[in-house]
C-alpha cells in the first residue's frame, strides 16, 4: 500500500497507487488512453512554443543537486548579474520573430529582493508590450511580491515541485517542499497562472515519479502548465553521473501526466537536446503539447531551431493558435482516477 500525499495545502486527488497503476499499463494501452484524453481537451497536432532566457545566471546560494547554477558546485556556468533591459528586449524580439508565443525569464535566486523585483517588473512590462505572453521564475516569493508581478502584467510564474515530497530532502536541503507550496499558493492567490512541474532522470524510482505527479495534481487547481524536465546532467553537479532514464519510461511519465492533468499544457521541457527524434515523437503522441524553442535553455543547449522546424514538419505539428492557449488556461478542477 502506498501512502497518499498529504500536505497542508495539498488535497490528495490521485492516490499514488492509482498513478502507479497507469504507469504499469501495457505501453500501447497507456498511449491510447493518453492520446484519447489529449484529443478530448486539446487540438491534436498543435504545440505551444515558449522561449527561455536566463536574466541572472549562476552564483545561486541554493544547493539543488541537479543545478549547474548553484554556487556550491564547480560547473561550467559563468555567473552573470541581472541582464540590462535592452538586452532582454532584443532577445524577446528575436524569440517573437522566430515564432515564440511566450517569453520566460529565469533568475538564479533563492528569492528576489524588492529592488530586484522592481527591475524584473520593468523587464516584464517591456516584453509584454511586444505582444508576448510573459513568464518568470525567480525563486521563492514573499507576501505581496506575486501581486506586484500580476499588476505588472505577468501571465505565468514558474515554480517547480521538482520531485516527490518524500524525495525532496535528498535533492535540495536549503529549502523545503512546504516552502515551494507556500510560494505556489501566493502565486495562485495573486491571480497568476501557474507553471509547475518537475525533473525526472535523477536516479529516482517510478514511485517517486508517481509521487511527483500526484503532488502536482493535488495543487488546487492543478497547474495550467506542467513542464516535465529530463535531467540535463551538468558536469560538476552531484547528479552529473545519474543513470540514464529509459526513454520508454520517460514517455510513460508524459502519458501519465497527460491523463492525470487533462487540461494542463504539458511541456516536453529540458532534455530534448539528448533525446532521439522518435522519443520526442512518442512524447507528442503521449500528450506533450509544449516545448522550449531556441538554441538555449537557461545555461545548457536546446535543439537548433532548424532541427525543430524539420521535426515539426515530419510530424505535421503546428504552432498552437493563440486563442487555444488562452482557452485551455481557464481555472479547472483536477481529474480523478476512473
Ligand atoms: N531559482 C529558481 C528556482 O529554482 O525556482 C528559478 C530557476 S531554476 C533553474 C528553474 C528550474 O530549472 C528548476 O526548478 C528545475 O526544475 C530546472 N532545472 C535546473 N537545472 C536543471 C537540469 N540540470 N536539468 C533539468 N532541469 C533543470
Ligand atoms: C523548467 O521547468 N525548465 C526550465 C524552466 N522551467 C525555467 C529550465 C531548464 C533548465 C535546464 C538546465 C539549464 O539550462 O541550466
Ligand atoms: Fe538556484 Fe534555482 Fe538552480 Fe536551485 S534550481 S540552484 S534555486 S537556480
Amino acid at each position: 500500500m502506498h501512502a497518499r500525499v498529504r500536505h497542508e495545502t495539498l488535497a490528495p486527488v490521485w492516490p499514488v497507487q492509482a498513478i502507479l497503476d497507469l504507469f504499469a499499463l501495457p505501453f500501447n494501452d497507456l498511449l491510447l488512453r493518453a492520446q484519447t484524453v489529449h484529443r478530448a481537451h486539446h487540438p491534436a497536432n498543435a504545440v505551444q512554443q515558449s522561449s527561455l532566457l536566463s536574466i541572472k545566471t549562476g552564483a545561486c546560494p541554493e544547493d539543488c543537486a541537479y543545478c549547474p547554477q548553484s554556487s556550491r558546485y564547480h560547473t561550467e556556468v559563468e555567473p552573470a548579474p541581472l541582464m540590462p533591459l535592452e538586452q532582454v528586449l532584443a532577445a524577446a524580439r528575436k524569440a517573437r520573430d522566430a515564432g515564440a508565443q511566450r517569453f520566460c525569464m529565469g533568475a538564479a535566486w533563492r528569492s528576489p529582493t524588492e529592488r530586484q523585483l522592481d527591475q524584473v517588473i520593468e523587464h516584464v512590462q517591456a516584453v509584454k508590450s511586444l505582444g508576448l505572453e510573459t513568464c518568470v521564475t525567480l525563486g521563492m516569493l514573499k507576501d505581496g511580491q506575486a501581486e506586484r508581478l500580476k499588476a505588472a502584467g505577468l501571465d505565468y510564474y514558474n515554480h517547480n515541485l521538482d520531485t516527490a515530497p518524500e524525495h525532496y530532502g535528498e535533492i535540495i536541503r536549503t529549502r523545503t517542499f512546504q516552502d515551494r507550496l507556500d510560494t505556489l499558493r501566493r502565486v495562485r492567490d495573486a491571480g497568476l497562472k501557474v507553471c509547475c512541474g518537475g525533473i525526472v532522470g535523477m536516479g529516482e524510482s517510478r514511485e517517486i515519479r508517481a509521487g511527483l505527479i500526484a503532488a502536482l495534481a493535488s495543487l488546487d487547481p492543478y497547474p495550467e502548465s506542467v513542464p516535465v524536465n529530463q535531467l540535463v546532467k551538468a558536469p560538476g553537479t552531484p547528479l552529473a553521473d545519474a543513470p540514464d532514464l529509459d526513454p520508454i519510461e520517460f514517455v510513460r511519465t508524459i502519458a501519465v501526466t497527460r491523463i492525470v492533468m487533462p487540461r494542463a499544457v504539458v511541456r516536453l521541457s529540458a532534455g530534448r537536446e539528448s533525446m532521439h527524434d522518435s522519443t520526442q515523437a512518442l512524447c507528442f503522441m503521449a500528450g506533450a503539447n509544449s516545448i522550449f524553442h531556441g538554441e538555449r535553455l537557461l545555461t545548457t543547449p536546446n535543439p537548433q531551431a532548424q532541427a525543430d522546424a524539420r521535426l515539426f514538419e515530419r510530424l505535421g505539428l503546428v504552432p498552437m493558435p493563440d486563442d487555444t492557449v488562452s482557452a485551455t488556461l481557464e481555472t479547472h478542477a483536477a481529474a480523478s482516477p476512473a
Side-chain angles (χ1 to χ4, degrees):
M1 203 39 206
H2 300 280
R4 280 171 165 234
V5 179
R6 284 206 185 281
H7 235 281
E8 204 186 313
T9 48
L10 283 182
V13 180
W14 275 80
V16 174
Q17 185 57 55
I19 295 179
L20 281 168
D21 291 346
L22 290 176
F23 265 103
L25 285 172
F27 190 69
N28 285 343
D29 292 351
L30 176 62
L31 253 65
L32 177 62
R33 193 154 157 196
Q35 178 61 197
T36 307
V37 170
H38 184 71
R39 283 169 184 257
H41 296 276
H42 303 269
N45 299 298
V47 176
Q48 188 274 343
Q49 309 209 18
S50 290
S51 175
L52 189 53
L53 178 70
S54 180
I55 56 168
K56 186 269 168 184
T57 307
C60 183
E62 302 282 78
D63 72 349
C64 314
Y66 46 79
C67 187
Q69 300 200 69
S70 167
S71 61
R72 294 164 194 251
Y73 317 127
H74 294 288
T75 70
E76 289 157 7
V77 168
E78 283 285 332
L82 189 60
M83 202 179 261
L85 180 61
E86 267 320 308
Q87 222 174 312
V88 173
L89 263 178
R93 273 194 209 99
K94 197 170 154 215
R96 182 193 59 187
D97 296 346
Q101 294 161 328
R102 188 176 313 153
F103 193 68
C104 309
M105 294 172 269
W109 286 321
R110 170 175 165 84
S111 57
T113 63
E114 288 298 305
R115 232 190 111 244
Q116 287 165 337
L117 201 68
D118 290 341
Q119 292 171 281
V120 173
I121 279 175
E122 284 183 24
H123 292 15
V124 169
Q125 287 167 333
V127 171
K128 186 92 184 148
S129 72
L130 298 179
L132 283 158
E133 287 186 315
T134 50
C135 176
V136 295
T137 180
L138 314 173
M140 294 183 280
L141 297 180
K142 298 177 200 67
D143 277 342
Q145 292 189 317
E147 282 77 5
R148 293 191 61 205
L149 288 165
K150 173 72 183 170
L154 183 73
D155 296 298
Y156 289 82
Y157 195 82
N158 167 246
H159 200 65
N160 292 335
L161 290 181
D162 283 320
T163 193
E166 62 272 28
H167 187 56
Y168 202 80
E170 281 172 46
I171 302 294
I172 302 149
R173 288 170 209 272
T174 48
R175 56 170 189 265
T176 64
F177 193 80
Q178 186 63 49
D179 289 330
R180 284 321 248 191
L181 295 180
D182 291 345
T183 290
L184 288 166
R185 182 38 58 204
R186 291 185 176 109
V187 167
R188 186 54 92 190
D189 287 349
L192 290 165
K193 289 168 193 158
V194 172
C195 174
C196 180
I199 311 181
V200 297
M202 299 194 289
E204 76 285 337
S205 62
R206 178 182 273 186
E207 192 166 354
I208 296 295
R209 288 187 280 281
L212 166 67
I213 296 171
L216 292 167
S218 302
L219 296 170
D220 188 16
Y222 64 78
E224 283 86 354
S225 164
V226 178
V228 180
N229 295 282
Q230 175 166 276
L231 176 71
V232 178
K233 295 182 212 173
T237 60
L239 291 174
D241 299 317
D244 281 341
L245 182 65
D246 170 15
I248 299 295
E249 181 69 9
F250 185 78
V251 176
R252 283 186 183 273
T253 307
I254 296 276
V256 173
T257 305
R258 163 53 64 228
I259 294 167
V260 170
M261 291 171 277
R263 298 189 64 181
V265 171
V266 175
R267 182 170 309 121
L268 172 52
S269 192
R272 289 197 304 118
E273 173 68 359
S274 62
M275 208 174 274
H276 199 278
D277 283 351
S278 349
T279 307
Q280 291 193 58
L282 283 172
C283 288
F284 294 125
M285 190 169 173
N289 60 346
S290 168
I291 57 160
F292 282 123
H293 158 291
E295 282 136 38
R296 242 180 146 57
L297 292 166
L298 291 173
T299 67
T300 64
N302 197 43
Q304 300 280 322
Q306 262 190 342
D308 276 346
R310 228 180 87 63
L311 179 63
F312 273 42
E313 199 183 307
R314 283 157 74 208
L315 299 176
L317 294 175
V318 295
M320 179 104 67
D322 285 340
D323 53 342
T324 316
V325 177
S326 331
T328 325
L329 296 168
E330 286 158 16
T331 304
H332 45 265
S336 313

